[in-house]
Amino acid sequence: MADYSRLWCSLTAIYSTPWANCVGPCDKNPCLNGGFCTATKNDSYNCKCAGGYSGENCEIAGPCAKKPCQNGGICTETGNNSRSCECAAGYSGENCEKKLPCPPGKKTDNHQGACCVFPFIYKGTTYNACTMADYSRLWCSLTPTYSSSWANCVAPCHKNPCLNGGVCTDTKNDSYNCKCTGGYSGNNCEIAGPCAKKPCQNGGICSKTGNNSRSCECAAGYSGENCEKKLPCPPGKKTDNHQGACCVFPFTYGGTTYSTCTMAAHNRLWCSLTATYSGSWANCVGPCHKNPCLNGGVCTKTRNDSYNCKCAGGYSGDNCEIVGLCAKKPCQNGGICTQTGNNSRSCECAAGYSGQNCEKKLPCPPGKKTHNPQGACCVFPFTYGGTTYNACTMAAHSQLWCSLTATYSGSWANCVGPCHKNPCLNGGVCTETKNDSYNCKCAGGYSGDNCETAGPCAKRPCQNGGICTKTGNNSRTCECIAEYSGENCEKKLPCPPGRRTDNTQGACCTFPFTYGGMTYNACTMVDHSQLWCTLKAGYSRSWANC
C-alpha cells in the first residue's frame, strides 16, 4: 500500500491511480525546522533553511529563529549569537516589548494605549485632528479609514478647563491656552473684568478703561452711564409707538428699500422699527404724517420739522393745490407736455406724430412705407431669425416685407415703395433713393433706367472664356484666353511644341500640373506606359497622351 506521507510521483503523464513513493536523498526530508530539501546531481541533497536556522540539515537555531522581536518588530542577525530588533512605530525595548506613550494630540482612553491615526477618513471626510462628528465628545479613529475602531481623545482641552465661555486650544508642550470671551481674563478665564456682566444696556458697547473701570458707548437714541435713558426721536423719525421707538431708515419692505415713511399697503404714513421689516412697525408722527401734499405730490420733511411738497406733473403750489395746463396730460401718442407760461403749454411729439396735441399721424418716410391699415411704418434696423435687416427683405416670403418692431415678434407688413414691384429688368438690382424714387444697378451688358437696353456684350458673344468689353454704343471686342482667337474667340489654336496631345478636341498639356502630391513641368510616365500630361493644373482625371 502506498505511503502518502512521503514523497511520491505519478507513473503516467496524467495521474490515473498508478503511482509510487519516490526513492532519493530527499524522500525522507532530512531538512529540519521547516528547511526545504533539493536533490543534487551526485544523488545527494541541499537544504534551504527557514529564517533563523542554519547547518547542513538546518539543525542550528540562530538568534532570530524563535522570532524574539514582539509587536511587529523585525529581527536582524548581527553575529553568530547576536541580533537586534527594529521596532514598529509606538514600541521600544530590546524585544520591542515596551509600548511608548502617544505623542501630544494623539492620546486616547484606549485600554491598550492605542493612539489616534491622523489623518483618518470618516464618512467621506478627512480629519487631521480629533472631532465631535456624530458624537458628544472629541474622538478619533485608530485606523486610517474608520472601521469601527475608535477611542475618546485625551488631551489638556478634552475636559474644557476654560471657564465663562473661553475657548481652549492645545499647545505643543501638551499644555493648553484659553482664549477668553469679552470681560474675562486669567489662565482659565476665571477673572471677571468690569465689562464681564455686560452692564451697557440697549445695545451699548462696554470698554474697559482700567482694572475696575469701564465706559459705555451707547447706541443711537440712548444715553446714561449704562445707556439706560431713551432719547426722544429726532425729526423725521417720530412715531406713535407707546415705548417711544423711532423709525429705522433705511428699511426694506416687500423687496423695496425706503428712506422715509411710506403709505405702501397702508392708508397712513408708517415706518418699520427694524432695518428689515418683520412685523414691527408704527405710524409716523410729523409734518408729513397726514400727507398735506395734494394731487399725488410727495411730502418731504425739512430740517426745521416742517415739510416740502414735490408736485406731480402739471400741479404746483405749496401743497400742489394749483392745477396747471399739463395736469390732464393733453399730449397724445406719447407726447411730452411742457408748461411755457401761466396759461400756455406746448407738446413735444413722438416720432411719426404732429399737431397741437400730437393727434396727427404722419405718413411713413420713403423706404419705410407699408400696406398696414393703421399706417404703421417699418422699423429699421430689425432682427428676424437671428439676422439684422436695414431694409425690406424677401426672407421666407414672396414679397418685400419688414417688421413693425425692432425685434420681430409677429408684427409685420408688406413694403410699399418704388422698389417693391422690382422695376429693374434683366437681373438689375433696385435701390430706393432719398426722394422716394429708385435706382437700378444693371447686370453686365444691360443699361437704361430700368436696365431695359441690351448692349453689345449683353448676350455674352465671346466664346471659350473670352471677356467682352464694350467699345461704343453698338461695338465691342473680345479678349480671348490662351489657345483661342477670332472675333468671338471661336478658333482653337494649335498646341505649342511640348504641349501637344492626342486629345480629340485638341486640348493642350497644362504646365505645371500636380499629380499624386508632385508638381510636373513636362510630360511624365508616372503610373503609365506612355508619356502623358494633365489637361488641368490640378489632376482631376482629365489627361491625354503626349
Side-chain angles (χ1 to χ4, degrees), residues 94-136:
E94 184 181 356
N95 296 321
C96 305
E97 74 280 4
K98 296 177 182 177
K99 180 76 172 88
L100 295 174
C102 296
K106 294 190 176 183
K107 294 179 181 179
T108 71
D109 60 0
N110 180 271
H111 296 300
Q112 285 75 39
C115 305
C116 292
V117 173
F118 296 132
F120 69 88
I121 298 173
Y122 173 68
K123 289 187 177 180
T125 300
T126 300
Y127 296 88
N128 290 291
C130 296
T131 181
M132 289 181 69
D134 298 333
Y135 197 53
S136 59

Side-chain angles (χ1 to χ4, degrees), residues 48 65 68 76 118 182 184 234 245 289 332 337 359 378 426 455 470 485:
K48 185 177 181 182
T76 303
F118 296 132
Y184 290 92
H289 84 280
Q332 303 170 34
C337 181
E359 74 282 3
C378 292
N426 299 306
K470 182 179 177 183
S485 68

Side-chain angles (χ1 to χ4, degrees), residues 291-298 309-312 315 318-322:
N291 201 6
C293 304
L294 306 175
N295 298 308
V298 177
C309 289
K310 184 178 181 181
C311 300
Y315 294 91
D318 289 343
N319 294 322
C320 308
E321 72 280 5
I322 302 172

Side-chain angles (χ1 to χ4, degrees), residues 101-107 118 155 171-175:
C102 296
K106 294 190 176 183
K107 294 179 181 179
F118 296 132
T171 58
K172 293 181 180 179
N173 56 0
D174 209 19
S175 184

Side-chain angles (χ1 to χ4, degrees), residues 304-329:
N304 56 0
D305 211 17
S306 186
Y307 68 91
N308 179 62
C309 289
K310 184 178 181 181
C311 300
Y315 294 91
S316 61
D318 289 343
N319 294 322
C320 308
E321 72 280 5
I322 302 172
V323 180
L325 298 178
C326 288
K328 295 184 179 179
K329 299 179 180 178

